[in-house]
Amino acid sequence: MLWIIGCFALVASAPTVDPKENLNSIMVSGGGDALSVWPWQVSIQTSKGVNFCGGTLITENWILTAAHCPVKAGYHYVVLGEHDRGSNDEAVQIKKISEVIRHPRFNKKNFNNDVALLKLSSPAQITSRVSPVNLVSSSTNIPSGTLCVTTGWGRTATGQGPRILQETTLPIVSTAECKQYWGLTRSITDSMICAGGSGSSSCQGDSGGPLVCDSKGVWYQVGIVSWGTKECKVNAPGVYSRVSFLRQWIDDTVPSLYNLD
C-alpha cells in the first residue's frame, strides 16, 4: 500500500540526539522532535495552513518534492524556515508556487520516477534558517547500512501530525534486501532507494521530504520520501526516490544546478 500523502511512526521511548552534531550517535531505533532547524526543509501547505507534503529547497527559486504530492500552482503554499508550526515568533517565509513540473515518466501505479520541482513565485531569502540542500551527484552510490536522516511533519505514532518538526535516523537498505522484503507485491526500480526497517519510518504527511546523509560534515540529499506500508510499519523498509538516478532530469529542468556540484 502507498503513502498517498507521505513522518514518523516513532518508538516513543527512544532518545533524540541532534544529528547535525554527531550522526553516529543517533539511535537508529527511534526519532522525535528536531532540536534545530533543518534549513532546506519546507512544508507544503493548503491555504488553511494544513501541511500535506514536505520538500527541500535546492536553489532560491526551486523546491524538490515528490510527483505524487497533489501540489497545485497558485493554490498551495511553501513555508520555509519553520520548526514549530504552532509558533508565531519564527522568521518563516511563505511563498506562492508559480509552476509545478512533474517527471514526464512518473508512474502513478508503481511510483517510478516519483519526483517533481516547484518554482517559487519569488526567490527565497537565504538566511541561517533557510538555505539550499546539496544534492548527490548522478554517480553517487550510498552503501547499505549508511545512517541517514529524514525529517517532516507527517503522522506520528499518536496518529496525528506533530507541531514540532520531527527527525529520525534510518540505515540505507540494499536494493536486494528491499526487493526481498517487498517481493512480488511492489516493484523496486532503479529510481528508488530504500531505508529503514529499524524502528522508525516516514509516514503520511512526509511525502516529498528529504532523506539526507552526512559526508565529511556536509549533508547531501539522497532520497525523497515516496512510499511504504499503509500502516507505516517501523520494521518495513521505506522507499525513497533515488536522487542520484533522477539528478540528470533535475539538472535539465533547473540548469543553474550545474554550478552547485
Side-chain angles (χ1 to χ4, degrees):
M1 299 294 291
L2 303 178
W3 302 334
I4 300 304
I5 317 176
C7 206
F8 305 108
L10 299 175
V11 178
S13 61
T16 303
V17 179
D18 186 353
K20 294 180 284 301
E21 295 180 359
N22 187 348
L23 179 64
N24 294 325
S25 69
I26 301 173
M27 293 292 291
V28 178
S29 59
D33 292 352
L35 300 185
S36 60
V37 171
W38 290 89
W40 44 79
Q41 173 79 48
V42 307
S43 171
I44 303 175
Q45 301 182 9
T46 67
S47 57
K48 295 183 178 181
V50 176
N51 173 84
F52 66 91
C53 269
T56 47
L57 183 71
I58 59 172
T59 76
E60 61 183 6
N61 292 299
W62 291 92
I63 302 296
L64 186 68
T65 189
H68 79 267
C69 286
V71 187
K72 295 181 180 179
Y75 183 75
H76 294 129
Y77 295 84
V78 168
V79 181
L80 307 98
E82 193 163 45
H83 180 258
D84 180 350
R85 299 194 62 246
S87 173
N88 293 320
D89 298 325
E90 295 182 338
V92 300
Q93 299 177 40
I94 302 174
K95 299 291 183 180
K96 293 181 179 180
I97 301 164
S98 63
E99 188 175 7
V100 179
I101 305 175
R102 292 180 171 84
H103 196 291
R105 295 192 183 91
F106 169 57
N107 188 315
K108 295 181 180 179
K109 293 183 179 180
N110 66 2
F111 280 29
N112 196 35
N113 300 311
D114 187 14
V115 60
L117 287 159
L118 313 180
K119 188 173 184 180
L120 301 178
S121 58
S122 61
Q125 181 181 357
I126 305 305
T127 68
S128 60
R129 298 178 64 92
V130 176
S131 62
V133 72
N134 297 291
L135 300 181
V136 291
S137 69
S138 57
S139 61
T140 300
N141 178 51
I142 309 297
S144 60
T146 300
L147 296 183
C148 301
V149 178
T150 189
T151 48
W153 286 275
R155 183 166 64 86
T156 65
T158 65
Q160 299 178 342
R163 169 174 160 172
I164 305 295
L165 179 67
Q166 301 289 289
E167 65 184 30
T168 195
T169 302
L170 306 171
I172 297 296
V173 175
S174 70
T175 300
E177 185 179 349
C178 195
K179 287 182 176 179
Q180 184 177 19
Y181 177 87
W182 287 102
L184 299 177
T185 60
R186 295 289 299 171
S187 174
I188 304 300
T189 71
D190 291 342
S191 76
M192 302 172 187
I193 186 171
C194 302
S198 56
S200 57
S201 171
S202 296
C203 197
Q204 287 83 16
D206 285 340
S207 283
L211 177 68
V212 294
C213 304
D214 176 88
S215 177
K216 299 178 180 179
V218 178
W219 290 91
Y220 291 89
Q221 185 171 359
V222 305
I224 303 165
V225 179
S226 185
W227 62 272
T229 63
K230 181 180 179 181
E231 303 84 3
C232 307
K233 294 179 179 179
V234 297
N235 62 344
V239 184
Y240 300 75
S241 302
R242 187 184 292 268
V243 172
S244 60
F245 181 86
L246 300 164
R247 181 65 196 267
Q248 187 62 58
W249 177 79
I250 297 170
D251 287 341
D252 291 343
T253 308
V254 186
S256 59
L257 281 176
Y258 282 118
N259 299 322
L260 300 181
D261 285 336

